[in-house]
Amino acid sequence: MKQYQLRLYVTGETRHSLRAIDNLRALCDEHGLNDDYEVTVIDVLQQPQLAEDDKIIATPTLVKLLPPPLSKIIGDLSDTDKVLLGLDLVAKAKDQGGNFYE
């Protein structure tokens, strides 16, 4: 079983959806997850019930199912610090002013 189980909700093959997929894959590869993660990409146009069950209100949205706690990150995942924080890969991240926050 993979340590990280992720679901990425997208809407079709829009520019934002494709960018989120690319950003997530690059981030996982660049930050040491290598073979220790599983990503399921869910198109809400094809599987709306899954989005409703997970209470997805916007896309793209990344849901971290494992390890707990569950977290959701909305957007194209281009803000690496916020995504790493949401995935619990760093204890702290910098805001846009360069200040650390948790």
Side-chain angles (χ1 to χ4, degrees):
M1 183 169 162
K2 307 288 185 182
Q3 180 180 0
Y4 284 86
Q5 290 190 8
L6 310 170
R7 284 187 187 159
L8 180 60
Y9 287 90
V10 298
T11 305
E13 293 187 9
T14 65
R15 182 172 46 108
H16 290 296
S17 297
L18 297 175
R19 186 179 316 146
I21 293 167
D22 288 344
N23 286 338
L24 179 60
R25 288 190 176 136
L27 188 139
C28 289
D29 291 342
E30 292 171 9
H31 293 279
L33 293 182
N34 300 324
D35 295 328
D36 207 16
Y37 70 98
E38 178 180 323
V39 176
T40 304
V41 178
I42 298 169
D43 184 343
V44 299
L45 298 176
Q46 295 179 2
Q47 297 178 294
Q49 188 60 48
L50 285 177
E52 187 173 325
D53 292 347
D54 274 346
K55 301 184 180 358
I56 302 302
I57 57 171
T59 59
T61 295
L62 178 65
V63 178
K64 180 185 66 120
L65 301 168
L66 291 176
L70 183 141
S71 64
K72 295 179 182 175
I73 304 165
I74 298 172
D76 67 5
L77 310 177
S78 60
D79 188 332
T80 302
D81 289 339
K82 286 186 180 177
V83 177
L84 291 174
L85 185 64
L87 294 176
D88 294 326
L89 289 174
V90 292
K92 293 181 178 181
K94 289 182 183 177
D95 64 17
Q96 293 182 352
N99 301 312
F100 284 98
Y101 62 91
E102 290 188 56

